[in-house]
Amino acid sequence: MVDSLPGADEATVSLPVLTPERIPTVVVDDAHIIYRVHQGATGGTTPVAALRRLVKRTNAPNVREVHAVKGVSFTAYRGEAIGLIGSNGSGKSTILRAIAGLLPVNRGAIHTQGQPSLLGVNAALLNDLSGERNVVLGCLAMGMHPDEVAKQAAGIIDFSGINERGDFASLPMRTYSSGMAARLRFSIAAAKRHDVLLIDEALATGDKGFRKRSEQRVRELREGAGTVFLVSHQLSSVRDTCERTIWLESGVLRMDGPTDEVIRAYEAYANSK
Amino acid sequence: MATTALVDPDTGLTQAQLAARHGLRVAGERPTLAEYSRRLWAYRHFIAAYANAKLVASYSNAKLGQLWQVLTPLTNAAVYYLIFGVVLAQNSIPNFIAYLTTGLFIFNFTQSAILAGTQSISSNLGLIRALHFPRASLPLSTTITQFQQLLASMVVLIGIVLVTGEPITLDWLMLVPALLLQAVFNAGVVLLVARLGSKASDLKQVMPFVMRTWMYGSGVLYSVSLFERLPGWATTLVQFNPLLVYIELARYALLEQAPLLNESLTQLWLVAAGWAVVAGIGGYIYFWRGEQEYGRG
């Protein structure tokens, strides 16, 4: 890697360096993330209780704070593909959202190069609108130019395969099956080129044919992107795509190293539970 | 850690120093106001497309579809006319139907923008958490959607005004700058309530009462000459009520003999422009200052 980078000349080391200098793209520095969840109506919802809370200035009981990430630090370098594994609720998706700048950190900091993009399947779109319109809207929301959107729209709909059983692209999205909607959302998100790419369980979408196509697409995206993060519960897809893996458990970094080692330790841990 | 480079100039640096050395920026950092405005401008196509999409989506389940854009203001006008024109028989105002509908439609433009704006962040959390774009796009597109609705109700209004025998005059042209100033004012207020509503979801319950009080203070349903009976300072206060001012401008433009609270047209324009500037700039800056907080919890 011989890319020129700002400040490289001022601090060059006189010794011949065997490994080329590695350029960090994501630096996570002791990040803590706490978010509040509204649980909906549970206990203590009477007007009197609400009034008492107001007087005593306590939080509503249906708002709970979740300390999802507790002081995680790591550095990701250009050209790396990093898997994030851990049990449900270990903070994997949360930290991805924070790297994408979509969730603020409460303590510590996350530094990134450029604007990382999060590739998820749950990008919300407008259910009352047709698939075609959603494609245009989704692309514009990712910052594409209208000309580019017009060029790509047909390709996105083809890729999602929603038109395989009749003309669904012109029907409102609320008429889609959940698999179709997820496929369309993935296709929209995957249509853009990214510097730092964060993939959240997106490979598990749709039927077998679509999964094959989407894995191929992710490989292409990876070749174009500097750094790729992959959150997945399918250890096989982490093993296939990532050479480095980070294992999170209850918001704490348990292990960070070569994929094989980390997955072996994780499997031993998961089986012993 | 897996960082095992033998000779690495980066060894010994803290994470923050490492990030600084390679020029990384803090994720989700708030851009400067100028940079934010530039990005917002780059997203103008998204704002327009989103506003259009919302307009289309809002009636997509109704059989009569987009016809409701015109039917809603018509029905509204009919109901208020029945109560204030027929039952309470307000005869003191010449051409009461036109007076009432002008006030109602102009007020409704701000009211529906504010009510929708309160939720423009909280009802789009999915979009905010999934994608990265200047958040001001959402309240702004809400304002544009309401502006499109206003245009439909203006067609209805002009129909009513003509049918009730008002002549077409050059004054009608004043309606265009008046509505534009009001749109800027609305955008500012919508940005303000969008940020407030993103934190306190209770605001949604309170806003209808605020808007109703505001409506009674804007002389929509009855003659503005009633305000002259208030103590002097209160009349002055009402004269500076932005919505009253925008309504009076529209009435001045369209109606020949409508009673007006503000006698001086210059003062009306100055107050109207002043509110647009103050609300527009103030609301924008206030919203921008909260940029990193949206979408959290």
Side-chain angles (χ1 to χ4, degrees), chain A residues 8-126:
Chain A
D9 35 309
E10 69 201 44
T12 31
V13 185
S14 47
L15 285 168
V17 182
L18 290 176
T19 43
E21 191 187 12
R22 306 199 300 163
I23 302 156
T25 49
V26 177
V27 174
V28 179
D29 182 12
D30 192 31
H32 288 259
I33 302 166
I34 302 169
Y35 59 87
R36 284 181 301 171
V37 208
H38 294 260
Q39 286 177 303
T42 47
T45 51
T46 60
V48 180
L51 206 63
R52 190 179 306 135
R53 278 198 306 275
L54 214 60
V55 174
K56 289 188 173 171
R57 294 179 154 273
T58 51
N59 276 334
N62 59 348
V63 178
R64 208 166 59 179
E65 290 207 330
V66 178
H67 199 154
V69 174
K70 303 165 185 160
V72 168
S73 300
F74 61 85
T75 308
Y77 295 89
R78 191 178 282 176
E80 274 186 322
I82 301 172
L84 280 169
I85 57 172
S87 345
N88 280 325
S90 54
K92 307 181 296 285
S93 300
T94 308
I95 202 156
L96 276 202
R97 288 229 294 273
I99 293 172
L102 300 168
L103 258 184
V105 289
N106 296 67
R107 255 180 293 150
I110 295 178
H111 308 266
T112 61
Q113 190 163 61
Q115 175 56 58
S117 312
L118 181 60
L119 190 62
V121 283
N122 39 7
L125 298 166
L126 291 175

Side-chain angles (χ1 to χ4, degrees), chain A residues 13-256:
Chain A
V13 185
S14 47
L15 285 168
V17 182
L18 290 176
T19 43
E21 191 187 12
R22 306 199 300 163
I23 302 156
T25 49
V26 177
V27 174
V28 179
D29 182 12
D30 192 31
H32 288 259
I33 302 166
I34 302 169
Y35 59 87
R36 284 181 301 171
V37 208
H38 294 260
Q39 286 177 303
T42 47
T45 51
T46 60
V48 180
L51 206 63
R52 190 179 306 135
R53 278 198 306 275
L54 214 60
V55 174
K56 289 188 173 171
R57 294 179 154 273
T58 51
N59 276 334
N62 59 348
V63 178
R64 208 166 59 179
E65 290 207 330
V66 178
H67 199 154
V69 174
K70 303 165 185 160
V72 168
S73 300
F74 61 85
T75 308
Y77 295 89
R78 191 178 282 176
E80 274 186 322
I82 301 172
L84 280 169
I85 57 172
S87 345
N88 280 325
S90 54
K92 307 181 296 285
S93 300
T94 308
I95 202 156
L96 276 202
R97 288 229 294 273
I99 293 172
L102 300 168
L103 258 184
V105 289
N106 296 67
R107 255 180 293 150
I110 295 178
H111 308 266
T112 61
Q113 190 163 61
Q115 175 56 58
S117 312
L118 181 60
L119 190 62
V121 283
N122 39 7
L125 298 166
L126 291 175
N127 276 328
D128 282 336
L129 293 179
S130 69
E132 282 162 343
R133 257 190 119 105
N134 270 300
V135 169
V136 173
L137 213 56
C139 290
L140 288 175
M142 293 192 301
M144 276 193 202
H145 193 269
D147 297 341
E148 207 188 332
V149 177
K151 243 184 278 167
Q152 296 229 21
I156 293 172
I157 288 173
D158 278 349
F159 182 84
S160 70
I162 54 168
N163 272 350
E164 278 163 11
R165 284 180 195 78
D167 178 23
F168 268 94
S170 54
L171 289 180
M173 266 190 85
R174 70 181 123 84
T175 63
Y176 290 15
S177 73
S178 57
M180 274 170 75
R183 265 152 50 194
L184 184 62
R185 286 191 291 249
F186 174 82
S187 310
I188 294 170
K192 212 190 155 212
R193 295 181 55 83
H194 310 272
D195 296 329
V196 175
L197 184 59
L198 314 162
I199 303 170
D200 190 359
E201 304 268 10
L203 299 182
T205 306
D207 46 34
K208 206 173 175 189
F210 182 76
R211 204 169 327 162
K212 252 191 167 158
R213 252 181 305 171
S214 60
E215 273 175 14
Q216 172 62 30
R217 183 85 189 99
V218 165
R219 252 189 302 273
E220 287 168 27
L221 287 170
R222 216 198 114 177
E223 280 155 21
T227 309
V228 175
F229 285 87
L230 175 67
V231 164
S232 185
H233 283 287
Q234 288 172 316
L235 294 181
S236 60
S237 67
V238 173
R239 208 177 269 137
D240 287 349
T241 23
C242 309
E243 61 270 17
R244 176 179 166 196
T245 295
I246 291 170
W247 171 19
L248 290 176
E249 206 58 62
S250 321
V252 178
L253 192 145
R254 281 283 286 256
M255 204 172 164
D256 177 0

Side-chain angles (χ1 to χ4, degrees), chain B residues 224-241 244 261-262 267:
Chain B
V224 287
S225 54
L226 286 175
F227 290 124
E228 283 160 14
R229 294 189 209 155
L230 293 171
W233 61 269
T235 313
T236 317
L237 196 71
V238 174
Q239 277 178 335
F240 281 94
N241 171 2
L244 181 106
L261 188 62
N262 293 281
Q267 189 197 328

